[in-house]
């Protein structure tokens, strides 16, 4: 993105000091993220500036409303537990008009946060203990939101993790074949259809009241938690766009499908992609430790199934987008969504092979 646009948008926010430079952070698949450096009377300060994807988030005002409410609640919990919420929660910066966003016809919808310094998000686990820290942080996030009133939240993306609806949307994409790609992905389509009955089982259990709906994050990729550079501890859960009612199984599952994978989400060489049991165990340990006492027995038992189904659901979303002609996820090349589909399907196959071991690991940490 051009510096003139970034500067123009930035001028509309309450940033202090003078603009020095910006860099783009390319790790998200939906929004555009930039880190801006300012000089405030000799002190360097940084801000995160994001352009929200309004094709994905149809009502961005509701997204910001949710974020403000959730972060207020988190602040209270953090102060209770740590004595301070400093660096541990997203801090929205208001526009010069006092709104939690800036928008214009030309530039679109933008928002800004204080940049959390001396902390980093990792696209891949670099050292196993990081994933234990991630498990603790995402588990704690669940715990802190356990008493948040879900009825005050907007549903920012309708039926976001309603797997039966996701499968139906995928089947519609196959039937419509808008981009004319169906014949090249027959094996991938069959793989998903063969597992459709099992894929809907978690949503069915929610509908039948056998699994509780909670306030969940719904996008717990490992790179959505910042780890403190100094202590390695999980410091701040970010990307709160999809905090909505959901199931803990998918927050757990989405984190392990991303962090316990031995390769990137878009790795082309599938021989590099597998589901790492040591990493799964570390995350499980951290997650169960911090959710101790409020997850039900059924939820704990079904954690491995949560991992399998959310991975299959994501594969169906990537493949549906590929069939539609790449409208939803950012892509860098024509087969990007297909490569992503294949890594997720490889992970599902590996999770199936290792399923008994996953059950054993979960039982080991059940209190
Ligand atoms: C998107 O925004 P980001 O990159 O954290 C997507 C998630 C997917 C993820 C896969 C709103 O997350 O659901 O799991 O890509 N977010 C949305 O990488 O669709
Ligand atoms: Mg996101």
């Amino acid at each position: 993105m051009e510096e003139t646009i970034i500067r123009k948008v930035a001028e509309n926010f309450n940033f202090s000091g003078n603009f020095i430079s910006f860099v783009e952070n390319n790790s998200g698949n939906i929004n555009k993220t930039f880190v801006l450096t300012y000089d405030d009377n000799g002190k360097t300060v940084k801000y995160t500036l994001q352009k929200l994807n309004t094709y994905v988030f149809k009502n961005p005002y509701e997204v910001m409303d949710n974020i403000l409410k959730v972060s207020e609640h988190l602040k209270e919990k953090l102060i209770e537990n740590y004595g301070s919420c400093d660096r541990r929660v997203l801090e929205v910066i208001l526009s010069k008009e006092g709104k939690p966003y800036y928008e214009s016809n030309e530039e679109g919808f933008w928002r800004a946060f204080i940049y959390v310094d001396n902390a980093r998000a990792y696209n891949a686990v670099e050292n196993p203990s990081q994933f234990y820290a991630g498990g603790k942080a995402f588990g704690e996030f669940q715990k802190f939101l356990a008493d948040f009133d879900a009825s005050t939240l907007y549903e920012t993306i309708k039926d976001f993790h309603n797997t039966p609806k996701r499968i139906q949307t995928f089947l519609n994409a196959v039937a419509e074949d808008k981009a004319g790609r169906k014949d090249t992905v027959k094996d991938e389509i069959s793989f998903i259809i063969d597992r459709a009955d099992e894929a809907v089982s978690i949503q069915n259990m929610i509908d039948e009241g056998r699994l509780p709906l909670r306030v969940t994050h719904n996008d717990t990729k490992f790179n959505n938690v910042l780890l403190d550079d100094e202590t390695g501890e999980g410091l701040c859960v970010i990307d709160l766009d999809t905090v909505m009612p959901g199931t803990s199984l998918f927050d757990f599952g989405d984190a392990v499908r991303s962090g316990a994978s031995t390769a990137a989400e878009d790795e082309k060489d599938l021989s590099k992609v597998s589901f790492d049991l040591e990493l799964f165990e570390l995350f499980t340990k951290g997650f169960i430790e911090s959710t101790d006492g409020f997850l039900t027995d059924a939820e704990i038992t079904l954690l491995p199934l949560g991992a399998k189904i959310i991975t299959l659901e994501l594969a169906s979303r990537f493949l549906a987008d590929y069939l539609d002609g790449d409208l939803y996820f950012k892509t860098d090349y024509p087969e990007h969504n297909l490569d992503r589909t294949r890594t997720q399907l490889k992970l599902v196959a590996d999770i199936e092979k290792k399923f008994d071991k996953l059950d054993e690991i979960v039982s080991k940490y059940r209190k």
Side-chain angles (χ1 to χ4, degrees):
M1 184 144 328
E2 286 169 40
E3 180 166 328
T4 45
I5 299 178
I6 297 292
R7 276 176 176 268
K8 184 171 172 220
V9 171
E11 267 169 26
N12 289 281
F13 283 94
N14 270 326
F15 295 152
S16 17
N18 298 316
F19 177 94
I20 302 288
S21 61
F22 80 98
V23 284
E24 183 161 2
N25 171 334
N26 278 315
S27 61
N29 284 333
I30 306 290
N31 301 321
K32 282 187 185 260
T33 306
F34 305 89
V35 179
L36 275 56
T37 303
Y38 275 63
D39 175 90
D40 189 12
N41 287 319
K43 196 173 151 238
T44 300
V45 277
K46 289 184 183 171
Y47 300 103
T48 302
L49 185 66
Q50 276 188 316
K51 180 173 186 185
L52 212 76
N53 179 330
T54 48
Y55 175 81
V56 168
F57 295 103
K58 308 276 186 218
N59 189 327
Y61 316 103
E62 293 185 355
V63 172
M64 294 315 294
D65 201 81
N66 278 6
I67 291 178
L68 290 174
K69 283 183 193 140
V70 168
S71 41
E72 271 318 302
H73 183 90
L74 290 171
K75 278 181 197 166
E76 283 171 27
K77 296 284 165 179
L78 288 163
I79 291 169
E80 263 168 55
N81 284 268
Y82 294 99
S84 154
C85 57
D86 194 31
R87 297 171 69 237
R88 292 181 182 273
V89 65
L90 284 181
E91 201 60 78
V92 173
I93 302 203
L94 299 181
S95 72
K96 288 192 173 148
E97 290 183 333
K99 294 184 180 153
Y101 56 85
Y102 161 75
E103 78 176 327
S104 83
N105 287 339
E106 269 159 53
E107 286 92 25
F109 189 101
W110 295 75
R111 61 172 175 206
F113 302 101
I114 292 181
Y115 180 84
V116 181
D117 234 331
N118 304 316
R120 260 187 67 192
Y122 294 80
N123 289 326
V125 174
E126 288 178 3
N127 159 345
S129 67
Q130 293 177 332
F131 209 37
Y132 169 69
K136 281 186 74 155
F138 282 129
E140 189 178 75
F141 186 83
Q142 285 281 289
K143 187 168 80 183
F144 287 166
L145 291 178
D147 62 348
F148 185 86
D149 180 2
S151 70
T152 65
L153 289 176
Y154 293 106
E155 196 177 3
T156 55
I157 298 179
K158 201 168 164 6
D159 297 316
F160 189 52
H161 286 318
N162 182 320
T163 318
K165 293 213 168 137
R166 288 291 186 184
I167 297 284
Q168 192 52 55
T169 304
F170 161 72
L171 294 173
N172 295 345
V174 174
E176 287 173 32
D177 192 22
K178 281 188 203 142
R181 289 166 157 175
K182 182 170 95 176
D183 289 342
T184 61
V185 291
K186 286 193 182 123
D187 291 349
E188 289 79 4
I189 294 172
S190 308
F191 186 102
I192 295 173
I193 292 178
D194 287 348
R195 286 155 183 81
D197 285 346
E198 189 184 31
V200 302
S201 61
I202 288 182
Q203 185 62 45
N204 289 344
M205 286 186 261
I206 295 172
D207 294 342
E208 290 158 10
R210 289 158 59 202
L211 278 175
L213 261 190
R214 303 184 180 282
V215 175
T216 50
H217 183 283
N218 296 305
D219 187 7
T220 46
K221 268 207 296 212
F222 179 57
N223 68 10
N224 276 334
V225 58
L226 303 180
L227 306 185
D228 190 305
D229 288 346
E230 222 167 277
T231 64
E233 157 195 41
L235 187 68
C236 180
V237 171
I238 58 170
D239 194 353
L240 306 181
D241 298 339
T242 50
V243 175
M244 292 182 275
T247 166
S248 291
L249 306 188
F250 288 162
D251 273 8
F252 173 87
D254 201 29
V256 294
R257 74 135 198 104
S258 59
S261 170
T262 52
E265 201 170 83
D266 53 4
E267 173 60 55
K268 284 177 180 292
D269 178 356
L270 292 180
S271 71
K272 292 187 181 155
V273 182
S274 67
F275 192 73
D276 186 291
L277 288 173
E278 184 204 351
L279 289 175
F280 176 80
E281 174 154 0
L282 284 165
F283 188 91
T284 303
K285 180 172 187 291
F287 190 82
I288 296 186
E289 273 174 19
S290 42
T291 52
D292 182 28
F294 82 89
L295 289 189
T296 64
D297 271 356
E299 286 178 294
I300 296 178
T301 304
L302 292 169
L303 290 174
L305 187 65
K308 179 175 168 186
I309 293 182
I310 200 71
T311 310
L312 190 74
E313 184 193 278
L314 183 58
S316 79
R317 294 172 59 201
F318 284 145
L319 191 52
D321 199 32
Y322 183 68
L323 292 166
D324 286 345
D326 308 317
L327 304 173
Y328 185 97
F329 294 102
K330 282 191 228 161
T331 50
D332 296 336
Y333 55 93
E335 310 297 300
H336 207 162
N337 273 318
L338 179 57
D339 288 339
R340 290 168 174 151
T341 306
R342 290 183 170 147
T343 60
Q344 299 312 294
L345 294 182
K346 176 81 193 286
L347 286 174
V348 171
D350 204 36
I351 290 174
E352 282 175 351
K353 266 191 230 141
K354 295 172 177 164
F355 210 79
D356 290 346
K357 297 213 173 72
L358 305 187
D359 278 340
E360 274 168 37
I361 291 168
V362 167
S363 308
K364 185 167 150 193
Y365 292 99
R366 179 200 288 282
K367 300 273 156 52

